[in-house]
Coordinates of all heavy atoms in Angstrom, one line a residue:
M1 N 22.4 57.1 -52.7 CA 22.5 56.1 -51.6 C 23.0 56.8 -50.4 O 23.7 57.9 -50.4 CB 23.5 55.1 -52.0 CG 23.1 54.2 -53.3 SD 24.2 53.0 -53.7 CE 25.5 53.9 -54.5
E2 N 22.5 56.2 -49.2 CA 22.8 56.9 -48.0 C 23.7 55.9 -47.1 O 23.6 54.7 -47.2 CB 21.5 57.1 -47.2 CG 20.6 58.3 -47.9 CD 19.4 58.6 -47.2 OE1 19.0 57.9 -46.2 OE2 18.8 59.6 -47.6
I3 N 24.5 56.5 -46.2 CA 25.2 55.8 -45.2 C 25.2 56.5 -43.9 O 25.2 57.8 -43.9 CB 26.7 55.7 -45.8 CG1 27.5 54.8 -44.8 CG2 27.4 57.0 -45.9 CD1 28.9 54.4 -45.3
T4 N 25.0 55.8 -42.8 CA 24.8 56.5 -41.5 C 26.2 56.8 -41.0 O 27.2 56.2 -41.4 CB 24.1 55.6 -40.5 OG1 25.0 54.4 -40.2 CG2 22.8 55.1 -41.0
P5 N 26.3 57.7 -40.1 CA 27.5 57.9 -39.4 C 28.2 56.7 -38.8 O 29.4 56.5 -39.0 CB 27.3 59.0 -38.3 CG 26.1 59.7 -38.9 CD 25.3 58.8 -39.6
D6 N 27.4 55.9 -38.2 CA 28.0 54.6 -37.6 C 28.6 53.8 -38.7 O 29.6 53.1 -38.5 CB 27.0 53.9 -36.7 CG 26.7 54.6 -35.4 OD1 27.6 55.4 -34.9 OD2 25.6 54.5 -34.8
Q7 N 27.8 53.6 -39.8 CA 28.3 52.7 -40.9 C 29.6 53.4 -41.5 O 30.5 52.6 -41.7 CB 27.3 52.6 -42.0 CG 26.0 51.8 -41.6 CD 24.9 52.0 -42.6 OE1 24.7 53.0 -43.2 NE2 24.2 50.9 -42.8
L8 N 29.7 54.6 -41.6 CA 30.9 55.2 -42.1 C 32.1 55.1 -41.2 O 33.1 54.8 -41.6 CB 30.6 56.8 -42.3 CG 31.8 57.6 -42.9 CD1 32.4 57.0 -44.1 CD2 31.4 59.1 -43.1
A9 N 31.8 55.2 -39.9 CA 32.9 55.0 -38.9 C 33.4 53.6 -39.0 O 34.6 53.3 -38.9 CB 32.3 55.2 -37.5
E10 N 32.5 52.5 -39.2 CA 33.0 51.1 -39.4 C 33.8 51.0 -40.6 O 34.8 50.3 -40.6 CB 31.8 50.2 -39.4 CG 31.1 50.0 -38.1 CD 32.1 49.4 -37.1 OE1 32.8 48.4 -37.4 OE2 32.1 49.9 -36.0
Q11 N 33.3 51.7 -41.8 CA 34.2 51.6 -42.9 C 35.5 52.2 -42.8 O 36.5 51.6 -43.2 CB 33.4 52.4 -44.1 CG 32.4 51.6 -44.8 CD 32.0 52.2 -46.1 OE1 32.7 53.0 -46.7 NE2 30.9 51.8 -46.6
L12 N 35.6 53.3 -42.1 CA 36.9 53.9 -41.8 C 37.8 53.0 -40.9 O 39.0 52.8 -41.2 CB 36.8 55.2 -41.0 CG 36.2 56.4 -41.8 CD1 35.9 57.5 -40.9 CD2 37.0 56.8 -43.0
K13 N 37.2 52.3 -40.0 CA 38.0 51.2 -39.2 C 38.5 50.2 -40.1 O 39.6 49.7 -39.9 CB 37.1 50.7 -38.1 CG 36.9 51.6 -36.9 CD 36.1 51.0 -35.9 CE 35.6 52.0 -34.8 NZ 34.6 51.4 -33.9
S14 N 37.7 49.7 -41.0 CA 38.1 48.6 -41.8 C 39.0 49.0 -43.0 O 39.5 48.0 -43.7 CB 36.8 47.9 -42.4 OG 36.2 48.7 -43.4
G15 N 39.3 50.3 -43.2 CA 40.1 50.6 -44.3 C 39.5 50.3 -45.7 O 40.2 49.9 -46.5
S16 N 38.3 50.6 -45.9 CA 37.5 50.2 -47.1 C 38.1 51.0 -48.3 O 37.8 50.5 -49.4 CB 36.0 50.6 -46.9 OG 35.9 52.0 -46.8
G17 N 38.7 52.1 -48.2 CA 39.2 52.8 -49.4 C 38.3 53.8 -49.9 O 38.5 54.4 -50.9
A18 N 37.1 54.0 -49.2 CA 36.2 54.9 -49.7 C 36.7 56.4 -49.5 O 37.5 56.6 -48.6 CB 34.9 54.9 -48.9
Q19 N 36.4 57.2 -50.4 CA 36.9 58.6 -50.3 C 35.7 59.5 -49.6 O 34.6 59.4 -50.0 CB 37.1 59.2 -51.7 CG 38.0 58.4 -52.6 CD 38.0 58.8 -53.9 OE1 38.8 59.6 -54.4 NE2 37.0 58.2 -54.7
I20 N 36.1 60.2 -48.7 CA 35.2 61.1 -48.0 C 35.4 62.5 -48.4 O 36.6 63.0 -48.4 CB 35.3 61.0 -46.4 CG1 35.1 59.6 -45.9 CG2 34.3 62.0 -45.8 CD1 35.6 59.4 -44.5
V21 N 34.4 63.2 -48.9 CA 34.5 64.6 -49.4 C 33.6 65.4 -48.5 O 32.4 65.2 -48.5 CB 34.2 64.7 -50.9 CG1 34.2 66.1 -51.4 CG2 35.1 63.9 -51.7
D22 N 34.2 66.4 -47.9 CA 33.4 67.4 -47.1 C 33.2 68.6 -47.9 O 34.0 69.3 -48.4 CB 34.3 67.8 -45.9 CG 33.4 68.6 -44.8 OD1 32.6 69.4 -45.2 OD2 33.7 68.3 -43.6
V23 N 31.8 68.8 -48.3 CA 31.4 69.8 -49.2 C 30.9 71.1 -48.5 O 30.5 72.0 -49.2 CB 30.3 69.3 -50.1 CG1 30.8 68.2 -51.0 CG2 29.1 68.9 -49.4
R24 N 31.3 71.3 -47.2 CA 30.9 72.5 -46.5 C 31.8 73.6 -47.0 O 32.9 73.3 -47.7 CB 31.1 72.3 -45.0 CG 30.1 71.3 -44.4 CD 30.2 71.1 -43.0 NE 31.5 70.5 -42.7 CZ 32.1 70.4 -41.6 NH1 31.5 70.9 -40.5 NH2 33.3 69.8 -41.4
E25 N 31.6 74.8 -46.6 CA 32.4 76.0 -46.9 C 33.6 75.9 -46.0 O 33.6 75.3 -44.9 CB 31.5 77.3 -46.7 CG 30.4 77.4 -47.7 CD 30.9 77.5 -49.2 OE1 31.9 78.0 -49.4 OE2 30.2 76.8 -50.0
T26 N 34.6 76.7 -46.3 CA 35.9 76.7 -45.7 C 35.7 77.1 -44.2 O 36.2 76.5 -43.2 CB 36.9 77.7 -46.3 OG1 37.1 77.2 -47.6 CG2 38.2 77.7 -45.6
A27 N 34.9 78.1 -43.9 CA 34.7 78.5 -42.5 C 34.0 77.4 -41.6 O 34.3 77.3 -40.4 CB 33.8 79.8 -42.4
E28 N 33.2 76.6 -42.2 CA 32.6 75.5 -41.6 C 33.4 74.4 -41.2 O 33.3 73.8 -40.1 CB 31.4 74.9 -42.3 CG 30.2 75.9 -42.6 CD 29.2 75.3 -43.5 OE1 29.5 75.3 -44.7 OE2 28.1 74.9 -43.0
V29 N 34.4 74.0 -42.0 CA 35.3 72.9 -41.7 C 36.3 73.3 -40.6 O 36.9 72.4 -40.1 CB 36.0 72.4 -43.0 CG1 35.1 71.9 -44.0 CG2 37.0 73.4 -43.6
A30 N 36.4 74.5 -40.3 CA 37.3 74.9 -39.2 C 36.8 74.3 -37.9 O 37.6 74.1 -37.0 CB 37.3 76.4 -39.0
D31 N 35.5 73.9 -37.8 CA 35.0 73.2 -36.7 C 35.3 71.8 -36.5 O 35.0 71.1 -35.5 CB 33.4 73.4 -36.6 CG 32.9 74.8 -36.4 OD1 33.7 75.6 -35.9 OD2 31.8 75.2 -36.9
G32 N 36.0 71.3 -37.5 CA 36.4 69.8 -37.5 C 35.8 69.2 -38.6 O 34.7 69.3 -39.1
M33 N 36.5 68.2 -39.2 CA 36.2 67.3 -40.3 C 36.4 65.8 -39.8 O 37.1 65.5 -38.9 CB 37.1 67.5 -41.5 CG 36.8 68.8 -42.1 SD 37.7 69.3 -43.7 CE 38.6 67.8 -44.2
I34 N 35.8 64.9 -40.6 CA 35.9 63.5 -40.4 C 37.3 63.2 -40.7 O 37.8 63.7 -41.7 CB 35.0 62.7 -41.2 CG1 33.5 63.0 -40.8 CG2 35.3 61.2 -41.2 CD1 32.5 62.5 -41.7
P35 N 38.0 62.5 -39.9 CA 39.4 62.2 -40.2 C 39.7 61.5 -41.6 O 38.9 60.6 -41.9 CB 39.9 61.2 -39.1 CG 39.0 61.6 -37.9 CD 37.7 61.9 -38.6
G36 N 40.5 62.1 -42.3 CA 40.8 61.5 -43.7 C 39.9 62.1 -44.8 O 40.2 61.8 -45.9
A37 N 39.0 63.0 -44.5 CA 38.2 63.6 -45.4 C 39.0 64.7 -46.2 O 39.9 65.3 -45.7 CB 37.0 64.3 -44.8
K38 N 38.5 64.9 -47.5 CA 39.0 65.9 -48.4 C 38.1 67.0 -48.4 O 36.8 66.7 -48.6 CB 39.3 65.3 -49.7 CG 39.8 66.2 -50.8 CD 40.0 65.5 -52.1 CE 40.9 66.3 -53.0 NZ 42.3 66.4 -52.7
H39 N 38.5 68.3 -48.3 CA 37.6 69.4 -48.4 C 37.5 69.9 -49.8 O 38.4 70.3 -50.4 CB 38.0 70.5 -47.4 CG 37.1 71.7 -47.5 ND1 37.7 73.0 -47.8 CD2 35.9 71.9 -47.4 CE1 36.7 73.8 -47.8 NE2 35.6 73.2 -47.7
I40 N 36.2 69.8 -50.3 CA 35.9 70.4 -51.6 C 34.5 71.0 -51.4 O 33.6 70.3 -51.4 CB 35.9 69.4 -52.8 CG1 37.2 68.7 -52.9 CG2 35.5 70.1 -54.1 CD1 37.3 67.6 -54.0
A41 N 34.5 72.4 -51.3 CA 33.2 73.0 -51.2 C 32.3 72.6 -52.3 O 32.7 72.5 -53.5 CB 33.4 74.5 -51.1
L42 N 31.0 72.5 -52.0 CA 30.0 72.1 -53.1 C 30.1 73.0 -54.3 O 30.0 72.3 -55.4 CB 28.5 72.1 -52.5 CG 27.4 71.9 -53.5 CD1 27.7 70.3 -53.9 CD2 26.1 72.0 -52.8
G43 N 30.3 74.2 -54.2 CA 30.3 75.1 -55.4 C 31.6 74.8 -56.2 O 31.6 75.2 -57.4
E44 N 32.6 74.1 -55.6 CA 33.9 73.8 -56.5 C 33.9 72.5 -56.9 O 34.7 72.0 -57.7 CB 35.0 74.0 -55.5 CG 35.2 75.4 -54.9 CD 36.3 75.5 -53.9 OE1 36.9 74.5 -53.7 OE2 36.6 76.5 -53.3
L45 N 32.9 71.6 -56.6 CA 33.0 70.2 -56.8 C 33.1 69.9 -58.3 O 33.9 69.1 -58.7 CB 31.8 69.4 -56.2 CG 31.8 67.9 -56.4 CD1 33.0 67.3 -55.6 CD2 30.4 67.4 -55.7
A46 N 32.3 70.4 -59.1 CA 32.2 70.1 -60.6 C 33.6 70.3 -61.2 O 34.0 69.6 -62.1 CB 31.2 70.9 -61.3
G47 N 34.4 71.4 -60.7 CA 35.6 71.7 -61.4 C 36.8 70.9 -60.7 O 37.9 71.1 -61.2
R48 N 36.5 70.1 -59.7 CA 37.6 69.4 -59.0 C 37.4 67.9 -59.0 O 38.0 67.2 -58.3 CB 37.7 69.9 -57.6 CG 38.1 71.4 -57.6 CD 38.3 71.9 -56.2 NE 39.3 71.2 -55.4 CZ 39.5 71.5 -54.0 NH1 38.8 72.4 -53.4 NH2 40.3 70.8 -53.4
L49 N 36.5 67.4 -59.9 CA 36.2 65.9 -59.9 C 37.5 65.1 -60.2 O 37.6 64.0 -59.9 CB 35.2 65.6 -61.0 CG 33.8 66.2 -60.6 CD1 32.8 65.9 -61.8 CD2 33.2 65.5 -59.4
N50 N 38.4 65.8 -61.0 CA 39.7 65.1 -61.3 C 40.5 64.8 -60.1 O 41.5 64.0 -60.2 CB 40.5 65.9 -62.4 CG 41.0 67.3 -61.8 OD1 40.3 67.8 -61.0 ND2 42.1 67.8 -62.3
E51 N 40.2 65.3 -59.0 CA 40.9 65.0 -57.8 C 40.5 63.8 -57.0 O 41.1 63.4 -56.0 CB 40.9 66.2 -56.8 CG 41.5 67.5 -57.3 CD 41.3 68.7 -56.3 OE1 41.3 68.4 -55.1 OE2 41.2 69.8 -56.8
L52 N 39.5 63.2 -57.6 CA 38.8 62.0 -57.0 C 39.0 60.8 -57.9 O 39.1 60.9 -59.1 CB 37.3 62.3 -56.8 CG 37.0 63.4 -55.9 CD1 35.5 63.7 -55.9 CD2 37.4 63.2 -54.4
D53 N 39.1 59.7 -57.3 CA 39.3 58.3 -57.9 C 38.0 57.7 -58.2 O 37.2 57.3 -57.4 CB 40.1 57.5 -57.0 CG 40.5 56.1 -57.6 OD1 40.0 55.8 -58.7 OD2 41.3 55.3 -57.0
R54 N 37.7 57.6 -59.6 CA 36.4 57.0 -60.0 C 36.2 55.6 -59.6 O 35.1 55.1 -59.7 CB 36.2 57.2 -61.5 CG 35.9 58.7 -61.9 CD 35.7 58.7 -63.4 NE 35.8 60.1 -63.8 CZ 34.9 61.1 -63.8 NH1 33.7 60.6 -63.3 NH2 35.0 62.3 -64.1
S55 N 37.3 55.0 -59.4 CA 37.2 53.5 -59.1 C 36.9 53.2 -57.6 O 36.7 52.1 -57.2 CB 38.5 52.8 -59.4 OG 39.6 53.2 -58.5
Q56 N 36.8 54.2 -56.8 CA 36.5 54.2 -55.4 C 35.2 54.8 -55.0 O 35.0 56.0 -55.6 CB 37.6 54.7 -54.5 CG 39.0 54.0 -54.6 CD 38.9 52.5 -54.1 OE1 38.2 52.2 -53.2 NE2 39.6 51.6 -54.8
P57 N 34.4 54.3 -54.2 CA 33.2 55.0 -53.7 C 33.5 56.4 -53.2 O 34.6 56.5 -52.5 CB 32.5 54.2 -52.7 CG 33.1 52.8 -52.9 CD 34.5 53.0 -53.5
V58 N 32.7 57.4 -53.3 CA 32.8 58.7 -52.7 C 31.7 58.9 -51.7 O 30.5 58.7 -52.0 CB 32.8 59.8 -53.7 CG1 33.0 61.2 -53.1 CG2 33.9 59.6 -54.8
I59 N 32.0 59.4 -50.5 CA 31.0 59.6 -49.5 C 31.1 61.1 -49.2 O 32.0 61.6 -48.8 CB 31.3 58.8 -48.2 CG1 31.3 57.3 -48.5 CG2 30.3 59.2 -47.1 CD1 31.9 56.5 -47.4
A60 N 29.9 61.8 -49.6 CA 29.8 63.2 -49.3 C 29.2 63.5 -48.0 O 28.3 62.9 -47.6 CB 29.0 63.8 -50.5
V61 N 29.8 64.5 -47.4 CA 29.2 64.9 -46.0 C 29.2 66.5 -46.0 O 30.0 67.2 -46.6 CB 30.1 64.3 -44.9 CG1 31.5 64.9 -44.9 CG2 29.5 64.5 -43.6
C62 N 28.3 67.0 -45.3 CA 28.1 68.4 -45.1 C 27.7 68.6 -43.7 O 27.8 67.8 -42.7 CB 27.2 69.1 -46.1 SG 25.5 68.6 -46.0
R63 N 27.1 69.8 -43.3 CA 26.6 70.0 -41.9 C 25.4 69.2 -41.6 O 25.5 68.6 -40.6 CB 26.3 71.5 -41.8 CG 25.9 71.9 -40.4 CD 25.5 73.4 -40.4 NE 24.5 74.0 -39.5 CZ 23.3 73.5 -39.3 NH1 22.9 72.4 -40.0 NH2 22.5 74.1 -38.5
S64 N 24.4 69.2 -42.4 CA 23.1 68.5 -42.1 C 22.7 67.4 -43.1 O 21.8 66.7 -42.8 CB 22.0 69.5 -41.9 OG 21.7 70.1 -43.1
G65 N 23.3 67.3 -44.3 CA 22.9 66.4 -45.2 C 22.3 66.9 -46.6 O 22.3 66.2 -47.5
R66 N 21.9 68.1 -46.5 CA 21.2 68.7 -47.8 C 22.3 68.9 -48.8 O 22.1 68.5 -50.1 CB 20.5 70.1 -47.4 CG 19.8 70.6 -48.6 CD 19.0 71.9 -48.2 NE 19.9 72.9 -47.6 CZ 20.5 73.8 -48.4 NH1 20.4 73.8 -49.7 NH2 21.3 74.7 -47.9
R67 N 23.4 69.6 -48.6 CA 24.4 69.8 -49.6 C 25.1 68.6 -50.0 O 25.4 68.4 -51.2 CB 25.4 70.8 -49.1 CG 24.9 72.3 -49.1 CD 25.9 73.2 -48.5 NE 25.9 73.0 -47.0 CZ 26.7 73.7 -46.2 NH1 27.6 74.5 -46.6 NH2 26.6 73.4 -44.9
S68 N 25.3 67.6 -49.1 CA 25.9 66.4 -49.5 C 25.0 65.5 -50.4 O 25.5 64.8 -51.2 CB 26.3 65.5 -48.2 OG 25.2 65.2 -47.5
A69 N 23.7 65.7 -50.2 CA 22.8 64.9 -51.2 C 22.9 65.5 -52.5 O 23.0 64.8 -53.5 CB 21.3 65.1 -50.7
A70 N 23.1 66.9 -52.7 CA 23.3 67.5 -54.0 C 24.6 67.1 -54.6 O 24.7 66.9 -55.7 CB 23.2 69.0 -53.8
A71 N 25.7 67.0 -53.6 CA 27.0 66.6 -54.2 C 26.9 65.2 -54.6 O 27.5 64.8 -55.7 CB 27.9 66.7 -52.9
A72 N 26.2 64.3 -54.0 CA 26.2 62.8 -54.3 C 25.5 62.8 -55.7 O 25.8 61.9 -56.5 CB 25.5 62.1 -53.2
G73 N 24.5 63.6 -55.9 CA 23.8 63.6 -57.2 C 24.8 64.0 -58.3 O 24.8 63.4 -59.4
Q74 N 25.6 65.1 -58.1 CA 26.6 65.5 -59.1 C 27.5 64.4 -59.3 O 28.0 64.2 -60.6 CB 27.3 66.8 -58.6 CG 26.5 68.1 -58.6 CD 27.5 69.2 -58.2 OE1 28.7 69.2 -58.5 NE2 26.9 70.2 -57.6
L75 N 28.1 63.8 -58.3 CA 29.1 62.7 -58.4 C 28.5 61.5 -59.2 O 29.2 61.0 -60.1 CB 29.6 62.3 -57.0 CG 30.4 63.3 -56.3 CD1 30.5 63.0 -54.8 CD2 31.8 63.4 -56.9
T76 N 27.2 61.1 -58.9 CA 26.6 60.0 -59.6 C 26.5 60.3 -61.0 O 26.8 59.5 -61.9 CB 25.3 59.7 -58.9 OG1 25.5 59.3 -57.6 CG2 24.6 58.5 -59.7
A77 N 26.0 61.5 -61.3 CA 25.9 62.0 -62.8 C 27.2 62.0 -63.5 O 27.3 61.8 -64.7 CB 25.3 63.4 -62.8
A78 N 28.3 62.2 -62.8 CA 29.7 62.2 -63.4 C 30.3 60.7 -63.4 O 31.5 60.6 -63.8 CB 30.6 63.1 -62.6
G79 N 29.5 59.8 -63.0 CA 30.1 58.4 -63.1 C 30.7 57.8 -61.9 O 31.3 56.7 -61.9
F80 N 30.5 58.4 -60.8 CA 31.1 57.9 -59.4 C 30.0 57.2 -58.7 O 28.8 57.4 -59.0 CB 31.5 59.1 -58.6 CG 32.7 59.9 -59.0 CD1 32.5 60.9 -59.9 CD2 33.9 59.5 -58.5 CE1 33.7 61.7 -60.2 CE2 35.0 60.3 -58.9 CZ 34.9 61.4 -59.7
T81 N 30.4 56.2 -57.9 CA 29.5 55.6 -57.0 C 29.5 56.6 -55.8 O 30.6 56.8 -55.1 CB 30.0 54.2 -56.5 OG1 30.0 53.4 -57.7 CG2 29.0 53.6 -55.5
A82 N 28.4 57.1 -55.4 CA 28.4 58.1 -54.4 C 27.4 57.9 -53.3 O 26.2 57.4 -53.6 CB 28.1 59.5 -55.0
Y83 N 27.7 58.3 -52.1 CA 26.9 58.1 -50.9 C 26.8 59.5 -50.2 O 27.6 60.3 -50.3 CB 27.4 57.1 -49.9 CG 27.5 55.7 -50.5 CD1 28.6 55.3 -51.2 CD2 26.6 54.8 -50.1 CE1 28.7 54.0 -51.7 CE2 26.6 53.5 -50.6 CZ 27.7 53.1 -51.4 OH 27.7 51.9 -51.9
T84 N 25.7 59.7 -49.5 CA 25.5 60.9 -48.6 C 25.2 60.5 -47.2 O 24.8 59.4 -47.0 CB 24.4 61.8 -49.2 OG1 24.3 62.9 -48.4 CG2 23.0 61.0 -49.1
V85 N 25.7 61.3 -46.4 CA 25.5 61.1 -44.9 C 24.3 62.0 -44.4 O 24.5 63.1 -44.1 CB 26.8 61.3 -44.1 CG1 26.5 61.0 -42.6 CG2 27.9 60.6 -44.6
P86 N 23.0 61.4 -44.4 CA 21.9 62.3 -44.0 C 22.2 62.6 -42.5 O 22.6 61.8 -41.7 CB 20.8 61.3 -44.0 CG 21.2 60.0 -44.4 CD 22.7 60.0 -44.7
G87 N 22.0 63.8 -42.1 CA 22.3 64.3 -40.8 C 23.7 64.9 -40.7 O 24.0 65.6 -39.7
G88 N 24.5 64.6 -41.6 CA 25.8 65.2 -41.8 C 26.7 65.3 -40.5 O 26.7 64.4 -39.7
M89 N 27.5 66.3 -40.4 CA 28.4 66.5 -39.3 C 27.6 66.6 -38.0 O 28.1 66.3 -36.9 CB 29.3 67.6 -39.5 CG 30.4 67.3 -40.6 SD 31.5 65.9 -40.3 CE 32.4 66.5 -38.9
L90 N 26.4 67.1 -38.1 CA 25.5 67.3 -36.8 C 25.4 65.9 -36.2 O 25.6 65.7 -35.0 CB 24.2 67.9 -37.1 CG 24.2 69.4 -37.6 CD1 22.8 69.9 -38.0 CD2 24.8 70.2 -36.5
D91 N 24.9 64.9 -37.0 CA 24.8 63.6 -36.5 C 26.2 62.9 -36.2 O 26.2 62.1 -35.2 CB 24.0 62.7 -37.5 CG 22.5 63.0 -37.5 OD1 22.1 63.9 -36.7 OD2 21.8 62.3 -38.3
W92 N 27.1 63.1 -37.0 CA 28.5 62.6 -36.7 C 29.0 62.9 -35.3 O 29.4 62.2 -34.6 CB 29.4 63.0 -37.7 CG 30.9 62.5 -37.6 CD1 31.9 63.1 -37.0 CD2 31.4 61.3 -38.2 NE1 33.0 62.3 -37.0 CE2 32.7 61.2 -37.8 CE3 30.9 60.2 -38.9 CZ2 33.5 60.1 -38.1 CZ3 31.6 59.1 -39.3 CH2 33.0 59.1 -38.8
T93 N 29.0 64.2 -35.1 CA 29.4 64.7 -33.7 C 28.4 64.3 -32.6 O 29.0 64.0 -31.5 CB 29.7 66.3 -33.8 OG1 28.5 66.9 -34.1 CG2 30.8 66.6 -34.7
A94 N 27.1 64.3 -32.9 CA 26.2 63.9 -31.9 C 26.4 62.4 -31.4 O 26.2 62.1 -30.3 CB 24.8 64.1 -32.3
A95 N 26.9 61.6 -32.3 CA 27.3 60.3 -32.1 C 28.6 60.1 -31.3 O 29.0 58.9 -31.0 CB 27.3 59.4 -33.4
G96 N 29.3 61.2 -31.1 CA 30.6 61.2 -30.4 C 31.8 60.7 -31.3 O 32.8 60.2 -30.7
L97 N 31.6 60.7 -32.5 CA 32.6 60.2 -33.4 C 33.7 61.2 -33.6 O 33.5 62.5 -33.4 CB 31.9 59.8 -34.8 CG 31.0 58.7 -34.7 CD1 30.1 58.5 -35.9 CD2 31.8 57.3 -34.3
P98 N 34.9 60.8 -34.0 CA 36.1 61.7 -33.9 C 36.0 62.8 -35.1 O 35.6 62.5 -36.1 CB 37.3 60.8 -34.0 CG 36.7 59.6 -34.7 CD 35.3 59.5 -34.3
T99 N 36.7 63.9 -34.8 CA 36.9 64.9 -35.9 C 38.4 65.3 -35.7 O 39.1 65.0 -34.8 CB 36.1 66.2 -35.7 OG1 36.3 66.7 -34.4 CG2 34.6 65.9 -35.8
S100 N 38.8 65.9 -36.9 CA 40.2 66.3 -36.9 C 40.3 67.7 -37.3 O 39.3 68.3 -37.7 CB 41.1 65.4 -37.9 OG 40.5 65.6 -39.2

């Protein structure tokens, strides 16, 4: 399933409880993350699923959307409700949305 940057920003404002997981590499997140996101690099995701709440949706984000789509697939296979942000952080920042 997909969610746009604007839809995600609205969810953040409403306090929906969704978990945002940034699956970029450590060097990439230094450029900024979506406020409240948890950093788990894609290669570490399978071993860190216990850090996520299965009762809440997970929104995966990366630089452009390719890795987050792979992460959403892994999460769905593990029993999570997962979304990806096509366009990733490139679209998030292009829309002028905040980073931390």
